[in-house]
Amino acid sequence: MDRYDSEEKILDFIIKLNAAIANVRLFPPTHHSVVDSIESAYAGLTGILNRYPRLALIAVGDDLVANSSRLAAGPGVSRLVVLLREKAIDNLTFLRGIKKESLRELIEALALHEAVPVRGNAWVKLSRIEGAGGQGSPADSGHGINGEAYDLDQDLEPLLAARGCMRKEVKNVYERVRHNQDIEIQALEEIISSFVYGPTWMVNPLYLLADVKSYDEYTFVHMVNVCTLTMSQAESLGFKGKPLRQIGLAAVLHDVGKLFVPDEIINKPGKLSPEEWEIMATHPLKGVGHLMKLSEMPKLAVVCALEHHMRWDGQGYPVVEEGWKPHIVSQMISVADVFDAMRSKRPYSEANPRQVVLKVLEEGRGTEFNPFLVDNFLKIISRF
């Protein structure tokens, strides 16, 4: 199913959903118009969910975004956006495995003219987006509209399992790099692909971040977290499929050069001396040198290993010619890298409070970081 075929099927489902809601308002539950229209909507939805694990419909102003893509304007889209606004819903997500009864209950709730709260279930998730009238944040709340709790265990279970697999694979990759052995890019990409349909469609990426439990695992956990945050931002900007997987790969490998810096410098709890800092600052070039020797290494991973400490304003390291602008993915990795490093508790330092981390990002807008990416990142981690 290509993009245009997918969009056509989603638009067709929206038309059928609107028709079912209209019929429920007009006829009794057993009327053939109601039964047939719900059956038609269900068939359209399951056809989409056979291809994708979820269908997320998000109202953004007068537009409707489906699975990170803006749908073409039309009467069906406009009608559904108006209805969602009336019901105080900004995000309506259907999960694969939905039962016809669950869809029928949703349609009946949407059809009510009264201001009755619409509630989700195991296969239908409802929420408000932060900044559109909702309250709370992922740091302190796992609730949708009207205080309805998400079934986070059910939503996150496959993603958390994939995260565990990725951490093991990243550790294996870094050990192989440390011993100058080749790595299996395809195997790592396959694990990364498990996240493609997760972070931005429904799950706030903060729910997927792992904590460091031991001194030795910080590097691997940090790489997985940076990968998760970067892919979430990239997916929100429209990256999909293989390009998105390669972004995840670049994020996982961006700090590989630190393997060639002495451990006593990497793990030093205090401030580095000028001499130590000079050695630390070589790690981007060391990473590039190693990645370029590996077979089938995507160019993007090499570029990001070089640029992830280059600032938006041209400062940072390594020093390059004037006017050099880091790749957009390098800029995304830079934001995710700083955020996770500051929020993580390490064996020799406590985690920074959330507000301190956010203040660093906000103060770095336009200097250290791309201001658009900072704003978009903060929006992503403040949802639901």
Side-chain angles (χ1 to χ4, degrees):
M1 186 186 299
D2 61 26
R3 173 183 173 184
Y4 300 104
D5 184 40
S6 174
E7 181 172 333
E8 183 177 339
K9 290 184 182 300
I10 292 173
L11 289 171
D12 181 64
F13 164 66
I14 289 171
I15 292 172
K16 292 175 178 177
L17 179 63
N18 286 329
I21 293 170
N23 283 326
V24 168
R25 286 175 171 173
L26 292 172
F27 303 106
T30 56
H31 193 279
H32 69 87
S33 295
V34 173
V35 175
D36 291 347
S37 61
I38 292 177
E39 180 69 38
S40 180
Y42 181 70
L45 178 59
T46 54
I48 295 168
L49 295 177
N50 284 337
R51 173 63 177 83
Y52 300 107
R54 62 187 71 209
L55 170 61
L57 301 175
I58 305 175
V60 182
D62 295 328
D63 296 327
L64 193 65
V65 175
N67 290 352
S68 301
S69 296
R70 178 181 175 275
L71 294 176
V77 168
S78 298
R79 189 174 299 115
L80 184 58
V81 169
V82 170
L83 178 61
L84 293 178
R85 293 299 187 204
E86 288 175 352
K87 293 296 184 178
I89 298 170
D90 283 301
N91 184 307
L92 172 59
T93 296
F94 302 94
L95 303 181
R96 180 182 290 169
I98 185 172
K99 308 301 182 185
K100 189 189 303 181
E101 181 65 17
S102 295
L103 181 62
R104 184 188 63 78
E105 291 174 357
L106 173 70
I107 290 172
E108 290 177 347
L110 291 174
L112 292 174
H113 291 291
E114 297 86 356
V116 177
V118 179
R119 299 192 176 278
N121 53 53
W123 293 279
V124 179
K125 302 300 178 182
L126 309 172
S127 71
R128 298 184 66 89
I129 296 177
E130 181 79 7
Q135 298 178 346
S137 73
D140 54 27
S141 174
H143 295 78
I145 61 173
N146 304 308
E148 178 185 354
Y150 290 128
D151 186 356
L152 284 177
D153 288 340
Q154 175 178 300
D155 285 345
L156 298 184
E157 184 177 354
L159 292 171
L160 293 177
R163 184 192 70 185
C165 291
M166 191 191 297
R167 182 165 61 180
K168 292 178 181 178
E169 184 63 25
V170 169
K171 183 175 182 179
N172 176 59
V173 165
Y174 271 63
E175 287 300 320
R176 292 184 67 83
V177 169
R178 191 189 300 274
H179 294 92
N180 289 309
Q181 298 173 336
D182 206 352
I183 60 178
E184 296 182 11
I185 298 299
Q186 185 175 356
L188 187 55
E189 275 194 340
E190 288 176 357
I191 293 176
I192 289 172
S193 69
S194 302
F195 280 93
V196 168
Y197 295 114
T200 64
W201 284 13
M202 184 63 188
V203 178
N204 186 299
L206 296 189
Y207 293 134
L208 299 174
L209 301 187
D211 293 324
V212 178
K213 293 183 173 63
S214 71
Y215 187 85
D216 295 329
E217 70 172 5
Y218 173 76
T219 296
F220 315 121
V221 172
H222 178 58
M223 291 303 99
V224 172
N225 287 347
V226 170
C227 175
T228 301
L229 293 169
T230 302
M231 288 182 70
S232 184
Q233 167 124 246
E235 196 175 14
S236 77
L237 298 177
F239 289 93
K240 298 179 180 179
K242 185 173 182 179
L244 183 59
R245 292 195 297 273
Q246 291 200 341
I247 289 172
L249 182 68
V252 162
L253 296 174
H254 80 275
D255 244 358
V256 72
K258 284 187 176 179
L259 293 175
F260 306 102
V261 175
D263 288 343
E264 57 268 25
I265 294 178
I266 294 292
N267 299 322
K268 184 176 179 179
K271 185 177 180 180
L272 297 180
S273 68
E275 295 78 14
E276 291 169 333
W277 176 250
E278 187 174 341
I279 295 173
M280 175 67 85
T282 65
H283 82 265
L285 290 174
K286 291 180 182 295
V288 168
H290 186 81
L291 293 181
M292 290 182 67
K293 294 188 296 184
L294 300 178
S295 60
E296 301 181 4
M297 179 60 60
K299 180 180 178 182
L300 180 62
V302 178
V303 170
C304 293
L306 174 69
E307 296 180 339
H308 67 279
H309 281 297
M310 293 183 187
R311 294 165 44 119
W312 170 250
D313 60 6
Q315 302 300 309
Y317 63 92
V319 177
V320 293
E321 62 188 33
E322 187 175 351
W324 183 302
K325 275 293 183 184
H327 193 285
I328 185 67
V329 177
S330 301
Q331 296 172 36
M332 286 189 275
I333 290 173
S334 177
V335 173
D337 189 18
V338 169
F339 177 84
D340 186 66
M342 291 191 67
R343 64 160 287 280
S344 298
K345 179 180 179 180
R346 307 193 203 186
Y348 49 77
S349 65
E350 293 297 317
N352 289 278
R354 177 184 172 88
Q355 292 307 314
V356 172
V357 180
L358 298 182
K359 184 178 180 182
V360 168
L361 292 181
E362 290 168 348
E363 291 180 346
R365 293 177 72 261
T367 53
E368 185 172 356
F369 310 112
N370 181 325
F372 170 79
L373 293 180
V374 169
D375 292 344
N376 190 56
F377 181 82
L378 295 179
K379 186 185 301 182
I380 292 169
I381 64 172
S382 297
R383 296 176 311 169
F384 310 132

